């Protein structure tokens, strides 16, 4: 947690909550230790949807489909969502959840490693995306960057989740657990890119586990 826990608890206590189906899916996900966006991030995404009103959203990292369904439920206008997942255990659960939520027509799940899948999405022919939600393996964001830039519409919004690595991002490489070091340096590289890319304006916000809004 990068923000004082009591502050987060207070902020979340003000939330008016989600639809029933989202509550059910969230509960099931948490019970089976599937990582899904936190309350603060849910609220932030709803606000972004209200502001951006995206017609097409790309999500990298579906898990059981919670955030995809949340975006489908709370976008002010019906929108098309493409979401990518490579975990064979999560894919059938996500598909089932899209059906339960009645969003199976709105959400297209593409199975496979995002590194390959993203290359296969052809922006000039398929329309580009007004919003991209990056929520996959943190160490890979930097590799997705060229395709993300190709697929993001002019005036589009890129939302990258979990960019502060539970606060580890500010530690020196050697203070970070060995198994997290590669992620640490790649995430730093990614954040540098987001902040210095000439086509992007990025704010890094200590919300949830850290979100970068570009
Ligand atoms: N957005 C979801 C949570 C995603 S958790 C929600 O909030 O409901 C991150 C997911 O990304 C995991 O299910 C993991 O399997 C998937 N993932 C990680 N790296 C990936 C990759 N390279 N290609 C496709 N999926 C990936
Ligand atoms: Mg996340």
């Amino acid at each position: 947690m990068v923000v004082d826990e009591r502050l987060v608890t207070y902020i979340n206590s003000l939330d008016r909550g989600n639809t029933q189906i989202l509550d059910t899916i969230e509960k099931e996900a948490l019970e089976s230790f599937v990582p899904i966006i936190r309350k603060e991030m849910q609220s932030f995404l709803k606000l972004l949807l209200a502001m951006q009103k995206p017609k097409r959203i790309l999500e990298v990292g579906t898990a059981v489909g919670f955030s995809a369904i949340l975006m489908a439920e709370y976008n002010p206008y019906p929108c098309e969502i493409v979401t990518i997942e490579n975990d064979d255990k999560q894919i059938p659960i996500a598909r089932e959840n899209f059906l339960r939520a009645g969003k199976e027509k709105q959400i297209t799940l593409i199975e496979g490693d995002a590194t390959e899948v993203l290359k296969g999405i052809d922006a000039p022919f398929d329309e580009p995306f007004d919003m991209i939600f990056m929520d996959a393996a943190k160490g890979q964001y930097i590799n997705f960057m060229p395709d993300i830039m190709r697929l993001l519409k002019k005036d589009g919004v890129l939302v990258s989740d979990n960019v502060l690595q539970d606060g580890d991002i500010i530690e020196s490489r050697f203070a970070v657990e060995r198994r997290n070091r590669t992620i640490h340096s790649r995430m730093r590289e990614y954040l540098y890119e987001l902040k210095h890319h000439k086509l992007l304006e990025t704010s890094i916000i200590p919300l949830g586990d850290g979100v970068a809004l570009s």
Side-chain angles (χ1 to χ4, degrees):
M1 183 146 316
V2 295
V3 182
D4 180 271
E5 201 173 334
R6 289 178 58 218
L7 258 178
V8 174
T9 306
Y10 169 68
I11 292 169
N12 289 340
S13 77
L14 296 171
D15 210 277
R16 62 181 164 194
N18 297 324
T19 54
Q20 180 117 47
I21 181 70
L22 280 167
D23 285 345
T24 309
I25 294 170
E26 180 177 42
K27 189 163 165 279
E28 292 168 357
L30 295 176
E31 279 166 5
S32 41
F33 304 102
V34 172
I36 57 167
I37 48 167
R38 303 176 190 186
K39 291 281 180 209
E40 317 85 276
M41 187 60 184
Q42 296 171 23
S43 165
F44 189 63
L45 269 187
K46 288 182 190 174
L47 169 67
L48 290 177
L49 294 168
M51 292 170 70
Q52 182 75 1
K53 305 174 185 67
K55 289 193 198 68
R56 294 191 83 228
I57 302 174
L58 173 66
E59 174 181 71
V60 187
T62 318
V64 295
F66 177 82
S67 53
I69 295 169
L70 179 126
M71 292 191 284
E73 293 258 299
Y74 287 97
N75 199 39
Y77 303 106
C79 63
E80 192 190 331
I81 300 177
V82 176
T83 182
I84 306 170
E85 177 57 55
N86 68 349
D87 183 341
D88 293 335
K89 251 175 57 195
Q90 312 293 3
I91 290 166
I93 305 173
R95 289 203 188 282
E96 177 65 27
N97 285 338
F98 296 152
L99 280 170
R100 286 163 85 196
K103 303 290 183 200
E104 75 282 359
K105 290 207 176 70
Q106 223 179 318
I107 305 173
T108 307
L109 172 59
I110 308 183
E111 302 179 16
D113 192 307
T115 321
E116 294 310 314
V117 173
L118 287 170
K119 285 193 181 67
I121 305 177
D122 207 347
F125 298 101
D126 305 326
E127 247 188 280
F129 295 91
D130 328 84
M131 189 189 271
I132 299 183
F133 181 43
M134 186 82 99
D135 195 19
K138 298 189 272 279
Q140 294 181 357
Y141 289 8
I142 187 73
N143 305 333
F144 301 150
M145 186 95 184
D147 286 307
I148 291 301
M149 291 308 296
R150 182 174 60 80
L151 296 170
L152 189 62
K153 212 181 228 173
K154 181 176 173 293
D155 298 326
V157 169
L158 167 63
V159 187
S160 311
D161 195 20
N162 311 104
V163 298
L164 295 180
Q165 225 188 345
D166 255 324
D168 269 359
I169 199 80
I170 56 174
E171 304 298 344
S172 102
R173 183 178 157 72
F174 300 100
V176 173
E177 265 186 80
R178 193 174 285 271
R179 65 195 169 98
N180 288 330
R181 276 185 201 162
T182 310
I183 297 176
H184 178 264
S185 47
R186 288 194 184 162
M187 187 51 86
R188 282 193 169 192
E189 203 185 323
Y190 180 65
L191 292 178
Y192 185 93
E193 272 294 312
L194 290 183
K195 290 294 286 186
H196 290 83
H197 198 290
K198 62 181 191 309
L199 295 175
L200 295 176
E201 189 62 50
T202 294
S203 172
I204 300 169
I205 308 166
L207 175 135
D209 189 24
V211 51
L213 186 61
S214 312

